[in-house]
Amino acid sequence: MLINRRILVSALAGAVSLIAMPAFAQDKGLIAIITPSHDNPFFKAEAVGAEARAKELGYETIVLVHDDDPNKQSEMYDTAIARGAKAIILDNAGADASVAPVRRAKEAGIPSFLIDREIKESGIAVSQIVSNNYQGAQLGAEKFVELMGEEGNYVELLGREADTNAGIRSSGYHDIIDQYPDLKMVAQQSANWSQTEAYAKMETILQANPDIKGVISGNDTMAMGAWAALEAAGRTDVILVGFDGSNDVRDSIMKGGIKATVLQPAYRQAQLAVEQADQYLTTGSTDQPEKQLMDCVLIDESNAAKLETFALAD
């Protein structure tokens, strides 16, 4: 595997949001954009980036939210097919569960362009454009080791287990951290990418392990939840590193709270998928391999001020 990462109309039991488009943008047909919940700013940035680029290129859009529910995702694929979408931009709801709807769309003549998360089968999506989660995790782990002074007890918060990225990031972290025998992991729990769940898990872990020195998190949303729990416990001395490059963590870094994160370019990644969809629809080819990696960038106090909406200013 290559991974080494608004008029709102209710539909599909309230899980779908449609974005009304001006008439001038309807010449080239419909592009469906399907992502996890926009409560996570990373996924919102994907949707906003894809929608903006599709408008610029002359497409109508439909923006759908699957909430990491494979059944909702399947229904949304059926909606896109029924609406005669020209292409689908997808941040999927599971590496295995997403294979069938992507194949179904292909059989209906609708190409899929995946972002952020890959699926477990090649040859059915036209593009799988993902962040180099392994490379990014290693950047974050190297910074974490430095901040920890190569010693101390630490905790790892894992992402959603069905998400390939969760495992890749954890592997990247441990391939660096495990080289330092004085760094000891005393707890490792999944908070499912959730801020609320991370807060609760961090409270419980802290009670059982009051002497922790650091926390490394699989994403920024969980990092924010963990940091809130640490603040509530008066433990702002704990070193915390996240992953994603969100504005919330940027602000925390600049205030001296969370120490670092790893930027994956969500906005640009989504725009690139739309550009490749447009090229494919126009010429029959993207001129790119199916699987494409985009490198991540470490964000700390030295460059946090340049970060805005999952993009780093020049």
Side-chain angles (χ1 to χ4, degrees):
M1 184 180 299
L2 183 55
I3 288 296
N4 238 23
R5 112 125 83 76
R6 264 88 204 230
I7 297 175
L8 298 179
V9 182
S10 177
L12 295 177
V16 178
S17 293
L18 309 183
I19 297 184
M21 302 299 298
F24 72 84
Q26 299 175 5
D27 296 341
K28 296 173 79 170
L30 178 70
I31 287 182
I33 300 161
I34 306 176
T35 72
S37 172
H38 296 179
D39 289 344
N40 184 323
F42 181 87
F43 302 128
K44 182 177 181 180
E46 290 181 333
V48 170
E51 178 196 4
R53 191 65 180 123
K55 284 183 182 181
E56 291 170 359
L57 292 171
Y59 292 92
E60 181 185 0
T61 63
I62 176 174
V63 178
L64 312 175
V65 173
H66 59 56
D67 293 320
D68 281 313
D69 182 334
N71 292 324
K72 286 184 181 179
Q73 177 179 261
S74 183
E75 291 174 347
M76 289 169 183
Y77 255 77
D78 288 340
T79 296
I81 293 169
R83 289 280 301 269
K86 298 296 184 182
I88 298 171
I89 310 299
L90 173 68
D91 190 339
N92 72 71
D96 291 310
S98 301
V99 169
V102 172
R103 180 184 290 112
R104 191 161 70 246
K106 180 182 180 181
E107 290 170 351
I110 302 172
S112 293
F113 299 81
L114 275 57
I115 54 175
D116 182 42
R117 304 166 175 174
E118 71 167 5
I119 56 175
K120 289 286 182 70
E121 189 168 324
S122 299
I124 55 172
V126 174
S127 298
Q128 298 195 53
I129 308 169
V130 298
S131 299
N132 192 337
N133 283 275
Y134 185 80
Q135 171 260 351
Q138 290 196 312
L139 287 178
E142 288 166 357
K143 184 65 176 181
F144 184 71
V145 169
E146 174 191 328
L147 292 165
M148 292 284 288
E150 302 182 6
E151 63 180 10
N153 293 342
Y154 75 95
V155 171
E156 181 185 8
L157 292 177
L158 298 165
R160 184 169 171 264
E161 293 181 5
D163 186 339
T164 303
N165 290 346
I168 295 295
R169 291 176 194 175
S170 184
S171 294
Y173 287 158
H174 284 280
D175 283 351
I176 297 297
I177 297 172
D178 292 354
Q179 298 177 46
Y180 299 87
D182 293 329
L183 283 167
K184 302 185 186 301
M185 186 172 67
V186 296
Q188 181 188 55
Q189 293 192 29
S190 171
N192 292 302
W193 306 130
S194 165
Q195 184 166 335
T196 302
E197 192 168 341
Y199 184 98
K201 292 286 179 72
M202 193 71 249
E203 275 191 319
T204 302
I205 291 170
L206 194 56
Q207 290 169 4
N209 303 276
D211 60 343
I212 63 168
K213 184 178 176 182
V215 178
I216 192 160
S217 174
N219 80 344
D220 280 355
T221 305
M222 295 188 299
M224 289 299 295
W227 185 249
L230 290 166
E231 282 189 310
R235 289 300 310 277
T236 56
D237 59 306
V238 173
I239 293 159
L240 178 52
V241 171
F243 195 115
D244 274 343
S246 71
N247 284 2
D248 287 340
V249 168
R250 172 204 64 192
D251 294 345
S252 182
I253 291 170
M254 293 175 68
K255 292 175 183 176
I258 294 173
K259 300 305 181 188
T261 184
V262 176
L263 169 65
Q264 50 172 340
Y267 192 89
R268 179 59 191 143
Q269 196 172 91
Q271 291 202 318
L272 184 61
V274 172
E275 291 164 8
Q276 291 190 12
D278 181 59
Q279 181 176 343
Y280 183 83
L281 293 171
T282 303
T283 69
S285 173
T286 66
D287 295 324
Q288 298 293 331
E290 176 184 338
K291 295 188 177 182
Q292 303 161 50
L293 288 175
M294 298 181 72
D295 279 347
C296 301
V297 179
L298 180 72
I299 304 295
D300 59 15
E301 71 284 353
S302 70
N303 60 355
K306 297 180 180 180
L307 180 63
E308 177 59 46
T309 316
F310 301 96
L312 199 60
D314 294 334

